[in-house]
Amino acid sequence: MTTVARPLFRDPIHDGATDPTVIWNRQAGEWWMFYTSRRADAPPMDDVSWIHGTDIGIASSADGGAGWLYRGIAEGLDIEPGRHTYWAPEIIDDGTGYHMFVSVIRGVPTQWAGHARVIRHYTSHDLFSWTYRSTLSLSSERVIDACVLRLPTGGYRMWYKDEADHAHTYAADSDDLAEWTVRGPAVACSKHEGPNVFELGGSYWMLIDEWHGQRVLHSTDLETWEPRGLILDRPGKGPDDGGYGYHADVVTSELGAFVFYFSHPRRSDDDPGPHIDHNGRRSSVHVARLRVSGDTLVCDRDETLEAPILPLEGPDQ
């Protein structure tokens, strides 16, 4: 067996891989990782422009998640001239094609506030080239970080961060992944971002990024969410795994549940930025096993993992 790489992945172009999401590519017979390609190598300006102007990067794994190869960026996302900002992709396979829900900001802002943030819907048949479908009409014009789950009763639910309402998580429902109806606030226990929902051990779980680890939330009905502690809130001891674990994605299969997250390994946990130097900006993607323990989830980010951690033939359909 092959040991899973540590760190799992670093972007070889800008060294700023964040917000990973992992999906099976049916055409290629590989697992593909999509991520926000932050520009950690941008000029050392005293602002947050390096966080913006980002593409959606792609890496692939043909060995069950042990190693990842940089493949380029998602193409076709621009629908107007110029350089723009793409964050936090979520990708759903409906069985015939792929749907991406990605956060978009016009241009390359130098500040955090003062501009709209929207979620756009794109489709693709190969996961490389994407076609714009719509800009979602949600609860405000300051929405990011979509997560989509197929509901057991049919249709889909999206969870996302609404920065206009205290950085809480909202929910919206759809029958077809195209038209969405906002349900309202879903999680308001804290300010947070990056909701990720999955089923494990007969229950539903949500991870939210509180910027000091991932808050674990539990639900039996996808309606009411109960906080159940934190994971990834203590630095790892492995290579490049210092600091908190940020903005996670979880893949479950017969091989177990694995959480993909990113870290800022050379950043002080309490350093607010704006991070002018490369060491303060750069980030690495990691993976760790998740387990249900009692009434919560546990995660040992220092555990050595042996591949495959992702099924070599893809997920069960």
Side-chain angles (χ1 to χ4, degrees):
M1 300 183 74
T2 303
T3 301
V4 174
R6 303 183 69 179
L8 188 69
F9 180 74
R10 286 176 66 179
D11 181 301
I13 306 301
H14 298 295
D15 207 11
T18 62
D19 313 333
T21 188
V22 176
I23 187 168
W24 176 250
N25 184 322
R26 288 182 277 106
Q27 288 75 11
E30 300 172 332
W31 289 91
W32 280 27
M33 178 194 301
F34 289 74
Y35 60 91
T36 307
S37 182
R38 284 187 184 172
R39 299 181 304 114
D41 60 345
M45 299 172 66
D46 191 15
D47 57 32
V48 295
S49 56
W50 69 278
I51 294 287
H52 300 102
T54 48
D55 293 308
I56 298 303
I58 304 171
S60 64
S61 177
D63 58 8
W68 295 81
L69 175 68
Y70 178 77
R71 299 292 294 274
I73 62 172
E75 300 174 349
L77 302 188
D78 286 339
I79 61 171
E80 59 180 318
R83 181 70 175 176
H84 304 287
T85 300
Y86 300 93
W87 286 350
E90 168 71 321
I91 300 179
I92 299 298
D93 181 356
D94 70 0
T96 59
Y98 305 98
H99 299 255
M100 179 192 292
F101 298 91
V102 64
S103 310
V104 184
I105 296 171
R106 173 179 284 179
V108 185
T110 59
Q111 299 177 334
W112 280 115
H115 44 271
R117 309 177 187 204
V118 298
I119 294 174
R120 287 187 192 157
H121 175 207
Y122 297 81
T123 59
S124 174
H125 290 290
D126 61 7
L127 286 176
F128 244 130
S129 299
W130 294 87
T131 300
Y132 171 74
R133 297 302 180 187
S134 69
T135 298
L136 304 192
S137 177
L138 297 172
S139 49
S140 80
E141 289 191 348
R142 289 182 57 83
V143 295
I144 62 172
D145 296 355
C147 165
V148 178
L149 185 74
R150 190 190 299 268
L151 296 173
T153 54
Y156 300 85
R157 182 161 299 165
M158 174 186 292
W159 292 266
Y160 61 91
K161 176 188 180 183
D162 189 336
E163 295 185 335
D165 185 10
H166 304 90
H168 291 162
T169 287
Y170 271 57
D173 284 354
S174 175
D175 292 329
D176 57 6
L177 293 169
E179 300 294 329
W180 294 87
T181 300
V182 176
R183 297 174 54 87
V187 177
C189 61
S190 64
K191 289 186 176 182
H192 59 267
E193 63 186 14
N196 187 259
V197 179
F198 55 97
E199 186 176 4
L200 182 64
S203 295
Y204 294 102
W205 304 88
M206 181 189 295
L207 298 181
I208 54 174
D209 187 351
E210 293 186 343
W211 309 290
H212 60 100
Q214 299 288 313
R215 176 70 57 190
V216 177
L217 301 138
H218 177 263
S219 178
T220 57
D221 58 7
L222 295 173
E223 303 285 346
T224 302
W225 295 94
E226 179 185 353
R228 295 280 179 87
L230 290 168
I231 62 170
L232 301 175
D233 54 325
R234 298 181 181 180
K237 299 177 182 177
D240 245 26
D241 198 18
Y244 301 124
Y246 296 100
H247 197 123
D249 181 43
V250 176
V251 177
T252 62
S253 73
E254 67 271 19
L255 299 178
F258 294 89
V259 56
F260 295 79
Y261 62 96
F262 78 92
S263 70
H264 286 293
R266 297 293 182 265
R267 181 185 295 184
S268 170
D269 287 342
D270 58 359
D271 184 356
H275 307 296
I276 297 174
D277 72 312
H278 178 258
N279 271 336
R281 293 174 172 179
R282 76 174 186 86
S283 50
S284 301
V285 174
H286 303 266
V287 65
R289 187 189 307 273
L290 276 182
R291 295 182 175 91
V292 177
S293 178
D295 64 353
T296 190
L297 300 176
V298 295
C299 171
D300 177 8
R301 62 197 286 185
D302 294 326
E303 177 188 359
T304 298
L305 301 178
E306 299 293 335
I309 59 171
L310 300 169
L312 293 171
E313 303 301 322
D316 291 335
Q317 299 298 325

PDB file of all heavy atoms in Angstrom, residues 130-150:
ATOM      1  N   TRP A 130     -16.686  24.733 -18.783  1.00  0.00           N
ATOM      2  CA  TRP A 130     -17.926  25.013 -18.084  1.00  0.00           C
ATOM      3  C   TRP A 130     -18.766  26.026 -18.853  1.00  0.00           C
ATOM      4  O   TRP A 130     -18.239  26.925 -19.498  1.00  0.00           O
ATOM      5  CB  TRP A 130     -17.626  25.523 -16.674  1.00  0.00           C
ATOM      6  CG  TRP A 130     -16.991  24.460 -15.833  1.00  0.00           C
ATOM      7  CD1 TRP A 130     -15.657  24.171 -15.742  1.00  0.00           C
ATOM      8  CD2 TRP A 130     -17.664  23.514 -15.013  1.00  0.00           C
ATOM      9  NE1 TRP A 130     -15.458  23.097 -14.895  1.00  0.00           N
ATOM     10  CE2 TRP A 130     -16.668  22.679 -14.431  1.00  0.00           C
ATOM     11  CE3 TRP A 130     -19.005  23.289 -14.695  1.00  0.00           C
ATOM     12  CZ2 TRP A 130     -16.985  21.642 -13.556  1.00  0.00           C
ATOM     13  CZ3 TRP A 130     -19.309  22.255 -13.823  1.00  0.00           C
ATOM     14  CH2 TRP A 130     -18.314  21.446 -13.268  1.00  0.00           C
ATOM     15  N   THR A 131     -20.086  25.878 -18.750  1.00  0.00           N
ATOM     16  CA  THR A 131     -21.044  26.769 -19.400  1.00  0.00           C
ATOM     17  C   THR A 131     -21.892  27.462 -18.351  1.00  0.00           C
ATOM     18  O   THR A 131     -22.474  26.797 -17.481  1.00  0.00           O
ATOM     19  CB  THR A 131     -21.960  25.979 -20.358  1.00  0.00           C
ATOM     20  OG1 THR A 131     -21.162  25.348 -21.365  1.00  0.00           O
ATOM     21  CG2 THR A 131     -22.977  26.900 -21.026  1.00  0.00           C
ATOM     22  N   TYR A 132     -21.949  28.773 -18.426  1.00  0.00           N
ATOM     23  CA  TYR A 132     -22.740  29.560 -17.471  1.00  0.00           C
ATOM     24  C   TYR A 132     -24.223  29.298 -17.663  1.00  0.00           C
ATOM     25  O   TYR A 132     -24.720  29.274 -18.789  1.00  0.00           O
ATOM     26  CB  TYR A 132     -22.439  31.045 -17.679  1.00  0.00           C
ATOM     27  CG  TYR A 132     -23.341  31.977 -16.912  1.00  0.00           C
ATOM     28  CD1 TYR A 132     -23.197  32.146 -15.539  1.00  0.00           C
ATOM     29  CD2 TYR A 132     -24.343  32.697 -17.571  1.00  0.00           C
ATOM     30  CE1 TYR A 132     -24.028  33.009 -14.839  1.00  0.00           C
ATOM     31  CE2 TYR A 132     -25.172  33.569 -16.881  1.00  0.00           C
ATOM     32  CZ  TYR A 132     -25.014  33.717 -15.509  1.00  0.00           C
ATOM     33  OH  TYR A 132     -25.829  34.579 -14.807  1.00  0.00           O
ATOM     34  N   ARG A 133     -24.928  29.102 -16.547  1.00  0.00           N
ATOM     35  CA  ARG A 133     -26.370  28.893 -16.588  1.00  0.00           C
ATOM     36  C   ARG A 133     -27.146  30.041 -15.933  1.00  0.00           C
ATOM     37  O   ARG A 133     -28.121  30.521 -16.487  1.00  0.00           O
ATOM     38  CB  ARG A 133     -26.738  27.561 -15.919  1.00  0.00           C
ATOM     39  CG  ARG A 133     -26.171  26.340 -16.613  1.00  0.00           C
ATOM     40  CD  ARG A 133     -26.611  26.266 -18.061  1.00  0.00           C
ATOM     41  NE  ARG A 133     -26.062  25.076 -18.737  1.00  0.00           N
ATOM     42  CZ  ARG A 133     -26.182  24.858 -20.036  1.00  0.00           C
ATOM     43  NH1 ARG A 133     -26.813  25.738 -20.802  1.00  0.00           N
ATOM     44  NH2 ARG A 133     -25.650  23.777 -20.587  1.00  0.00           N
ATOM     45  N   SER A 134     -26.713  30.473 -14.754  1.00  0.00           N
ATOM     46  CA  SER A 134     -27.454  31.547 -14.084  1.00  0.00           C
ATOM     47  C   SER A 134     -26.671  32.057 -12.884  1.00  0.00           C
ATOM     48  O   SER A 134     -25.746  31.401 -12.390  1.00  0.00           O
ATOM     49  CB  SER A 134     -28.831  31.053 -13.619  1.00  0.00           C
ATOM     50  OG  SER A 134     -28.688  30.113 -12.547  1.00  0.00           O
ATOM     51  N   THR A 135     -27.061  33.241 -12.436  1.00  0.00           N
ATOM     52  CA  THR A 135     -26.623  33.776 -11.144  1.00  0.00           C
ATOM     53  C   THR A 135     -27.784  33.612 -10.186  1.00  0.00           C
ATOM     54  O   THR A 135     -28.895  34.117 -10.447  1.00  0.00           O
ATOM     55  CB  THR A 135     -26.224  35.256 -11.261  1.00  0.00           C
ATOM     56  OG1 THR A 135     -25.129  35.375 -12.168  1.00  0.00           O
ATOM     57  CG2 THR A 135     -25.810  35.811  -9.901  1.00  0.00           C
ATOM     58  N   LEU A 136     -27.578  32.889  -9.111  1.00  0.00           N
ATOM     59  CA  LEU A 136     -28.693  32.523  -8.239  1.00  0.00           C
ATOM     60  C   LEU A 136     -29.246  33.733  -7.509  1.00  0.00           C
ATOM     61  O   LEU A 136     -28.497  34.601  -7.033  1.00  0.00           O
ATOM     62  CB  LEU A 136     -28.250  31.472  -7.225  1.00  0.00           C
ATOM     63  CG  LEU A 136     -27.644  30.183  -7.781  1.00  0.00           C
ATOM     64  CD1 LEU A 136     -27.527  29.148  -6.674  1.00  0.00           C
ATOM     65  CD2 LEU A 136     -28.440  29.636  -8.945  1.00  0.00           C
ATOM     66  N   SER A 137     -30.561  33.766  -7.404  1.00  0.00           N
ATOM     67  CA  SER A 137     -31.249  34.782  -6.606  1.00  0.00           C
ATOM     68  C   SER A 137     -31.484  34.196  -5.220  1.00  0.00           C
ATOM     69  O   SER A 137     -32.375  33.356  -5.032  1.00  0.00           O
ATOM     70  CB  SER A 137     -32.576  35.170  -7.267  1.00  0.00           C
ATOM     71  OG  SER A 137     -33.279  36.105  -6.477  1.00  0.00           O
ATOM     72  N   LEU A 138     -30.663  34.635  -4.272  1.00  0.00           N
ATOM     73  CA  LEU A 138     -30.724  34.073  -2.918  1.00  0.00           C
ATOM     74  C   LEU A 138     -31.117  35.156  -1.913  1.00  0.00           C
ATOM     75  O   LEU A 138     -31.838  36.084  -2.273  1.00  0.00           O
ATOM     76  CB  LEU A 138     -29.379  33.413  -2.592  1.00  0.00           C
ATOM     77  CG  LEU A 138     -29.029  32.216  -3.501  1.00  0.00           C
ATOM     78  CD1 LEU A 138     -27.612  31.739  -3.271  1.00  0.00           C
ATOM     79  CD2 LEU A 138     -30.016  31.064  -3.282  1.00  0.00           C
ATOM     80  N   SER A 139     -30.666  35.040  -0.681  1.00  0.00           N
ATOM     81  CA  SER A 139     -31.162  35.905   0.381  1.00  0.00           C
ATOM     82  C   SER A 139     -30.523  37.280   0.414  1.00  0.00           C
ATOM     83  O   SER A 139     -31.026  38.179   1.087  1.00  0.00           O
ATOM     84  CB  SER A 139     -30.987  35.214   1.737  1.00  0.00           C
ATOM     85  OG  SER A 139     -29.675  34.700   1.869  1.00  0.00           O
ATOM     86  N   SER A 140     -29.399  37.476  -0.279  1.00  0.00           N
ATOM     87  CA  SER A 140     -28.757  38.787  -0.339  1.00  0.00           C
ATOM     88  C   SER A 140     -27.757  38.767  -1.488  1.00  0.00           C
ATOM     89  O   SER A 140     -27.620  37.761  -2.192  1.00  0.00           O
ATOM     90  CB  SER A 140     -28.054  39.123   0.978  1.00  0.00           C
ATOM     91  OG  SER A 140     -26.793  38.473   1.070  1.00  0.00           O
ATOM     92  N   GLU A 141     -27.048  39.869  -1.667  1.00  0.00           N
ATOM     93  CA  GLU A 141     -25.971  39.926  -2.646  1.00  0.00           C
ATOM     94  C   GLU A 141     -24.606  39.834  -1.976  1.00  0.00           C
ATOM     95  O   GLU A 141     -23.614  40.336  -2.502  1.00  0.00           O
ATOM     96  CB  GLU A 141     -26.077  41.211  -3.481  1.00  0.00           C
ATOM     97  CG  GLU A 141     -27.247  41.200  -4.444  1.00  0.00           C
ATOM     98  CD  GLU A 141     -27.189  42.335  -5.430  1.00  0.00           C
ATOM     99  OE1 GLU A 141     -26.370  43.259  -5.234  1.00  0.00           O
ATOM    100  OE2 GLU A 141     -27.957  42.301  -6.401  1.00  0.00           O
ATOM    101  N   ARG A 142     -24.584  39.160  -0.844  1.00  0.00           N
ATOM    102  CA  ARG A 142     -23.318  38.893  -0.156  1.00  0.00           C
ATOM    103  C   ARG A 142     -23.308  37.428   0.278  1.00  0.00           C
ATOM    104  O   ARG A 142     -23.234  37.108   1.466  1.00  0.00           O
ATOM    105  CB  ARG A 142     -23.133  39.835   1.042  1.00  0.00           C
ATOM    106  CG  ARG A 142     -22.855  41.275   0.618  1.00  0.00           C
ATOM    107  CD  ARG A 142     -22.618  42.193   1.812  1.00  0.00           C
ATOM    108  NE  ARG A 142     -21.510  41.728   2.646  1.00  0.00           N
ATOM    109  CZ  ARG A 142     -20.230  41.980   2.394  1.00  0.00           C
ATOM    110  NH1 ARG A 142     -19.894  42.654   1.315  1.00  0.00           N
ATOM    111  NH2 ARG A 142     -19.293  41.548   3.213  1.00  0.00           N
ATOM    112  N   VAL A 143     -23.423  36.534  -0.709  1.00  0.00           N
ATOM    113  CA  VAL A 143     -23.513  35.105  -0.428  1.00  0.00           C
ATOM    114  C   VAL A 143     -22.328  34.378  -1.061  1.00  0.00           C
ATOM    115  O   VAL A 143     -21.911  34.680  -2.175  1.00  0.00           O
ATOM    116  CB  VAL A 143     -24.842  34.519  -0.938  1.00  0.00           C
ATOM    117  CG1 VAL A 143     -26.011  35.114  -0.176  1.00  0.00           C
ATOM    118  CG2 VAL A 143     -25.034  34.756  -2.438  1.00  0.00           C
ATOM    119  N   ILE A 144     -21.762  33.423  -0.307  1.00  0.00           N
ATOM    120  CA  ILE A 144     -20.624  32.632  -0.777  1.00  0.00           C
ATOM    121  C   ILE A 144     -20.734  31.208  -0.215  1.00  0.00           C
ATOM    122  O   ILE A 144     -21.598  30.908   0.596  1.00  0.00           O
ATOM    123  CB  ILE A 144     -19.265  33.249  -0.358  1.00  0.00           C
ATOM    124  CG1 ILE A 144     -19.136  33.294   1.182  1.00  0.00           C
ATOM    125  CG2 ILE A 144     -19.083  34.645  -0.935  1.00  0.00           C
ATOM    126  CD1 ILE A 144     -17.750  33.713   1.656  1.00  0.00           C
ATOM    127  N   ASP A 145     -19.833  30.321  -0.666  1.00  0.00           N
ATOM    128  CA  ASP A 145     -19.601  29.014  -0.046  1.00  0.00           C
ATOM    129  C   ASP A 145     -20.793  28.072  -0.130  1.00  0.00           C
ATOM    130  O   ASP A 145     -21.321  27.608   0.886  1.00  0.00           O
ATOM    131  CB  ASP A 145     -19.182  29.175   1.425  1.00  0.00           C
ATOM    132  CG  ASP A 145     -17.871  29.887   1.605  1.00  0.00           C
ATOM    133  OD1 ASP A 145     -17.211  30.183   0.590  1.00  0.00           O
ATOM    134  OD2 ASP A 145     -17.494  30.168   2.767  1.00  0.00           O
ATOM    135  N   ALA A 146     -21.202  27.747  -1.342  1.00  0.00           N
ATOM    136  CA  ALA A 146     -22.322  26.822  -1.518  1.00  0.00           C
ATOM    137  C   ALA A 146     -21.925  25.390  -1.189  1.00  0.00           C
ATOM    138  O   ALA A 146     -20.823  24.945  -1.486  1.00  0.00           O
ATOM    139  CB  ALA A 146     -22.830  26.885  -2.957  1.00  0.00           C
ATOM    140  N   CYS A 147     -22.852  24.657  -0.574  1.00  0.00           N
ATOM    141  CA  CYS A 147     -22.763  23.207  -0.376  1.00  0.00           C
ATOM    142  C   CYS A 147     -24.107  22.635  -0.784  1.00  0.00           C
ATOM    143  O   CYS A 147     -25.150  23.154  -0.366  1.00  0.00           O
ATOM    144  CB  CYS A 147     -22.472  22.884   1.088  1.00  0.00           C
ATOM    145  SG  CYS A 147     -22.760  21.146   1.525  1.00  0.00           S
ATOM    146  N   VAL A 148     -24.117  21.573  -1.611  1.00  0.00           N
ATOM    147  CA  VAL A 148     -25.363  21.013  -2.126  1.00  0.00           C
ATOM    148  C   VAL A 148     -25.435  19.524  -1.813  1.00  0.00           C
ATOM    149  O   VAL A 148     -24.463  18.791  -2.006  1.00  0.00           O
ATOM    150  CB  VAL A 148     -25.488  21.247  -3.644  1.00  0.00           C
ATOM    151  CG1 VAL A 148     -26.771  20.620  -4.183  1.00  0.00           C
ATOM    152  CG2 VAL A 148     -25.457  22.741  -3.964  1.00  0.00           C
ATOM    153  N   LEU A 149     -26.602  19.084  -1.350  1.00  0.00           N
ATOM    154  CA  LEU A 149     -26.829  17.670  -1.027  1.00  0.00           C
ATOM    155  C   LEU A 149     -28.145  17.228  -1.654  1.00  0.00           C
ATOM    156  O   LEU A 149     -29.150  17.951  -1.603  1.00  0.00           O
ATOM    157  CB  LEU A 149     -26.896  17.484   0.491  1.00  0.00           C
ATOM    158  CG  LEU A 149     -27.015  16.050   1.008  1.00  0.00           C
ATOM    159  CD1 LEU A 149     -25.687  15.318   0.863  1.00  0.00           C
ATOM    160  CD2 LEU A 149     -27.463  16.030   2.474  1.00  0.00           C
ATOM    161  N   ARG A 150     -28.126  16.028  -2.232  1.00  0.00           N
ATOM    162  CA  ARG A 150     -29.372  15.435  -2.724  1.00  0.00           C
ATOM    163  C   ARG A 150     -30.205  14.996  -1.529  1.00  0.00           C
ATOM    164  O   ARG A 150     -29.724  14.261  -0.656  1.00  0.00           O
ATOM    165  CB  ARG A 150     -29.077  14.244  -3.628  1.00  0.00           C
ATOM    166  CG  ARG A 150     -30.306  13.718  -4.370  1.00  0.00           C
ATOM    167  CD  ARG A 150     -29.995  12.398  -5.056  1.00  0.00           C
ATOM    168  NE  ARG A 150     -28.938  12.526  -6.031  1.00  0.00           N
ATOM    169  CZ  ARG A 150     -29.139  12.778  -7.324  1.00  0.00           C
ATOM    170  NH1 ARG A 150     -30.370  12.945  -7.773  1.00  0.00           N
ATOM    171  NH2 ARG A 150     -28.111  12.857  -8.160  1.00  0.00           N
TER     172      ARG A 150
END
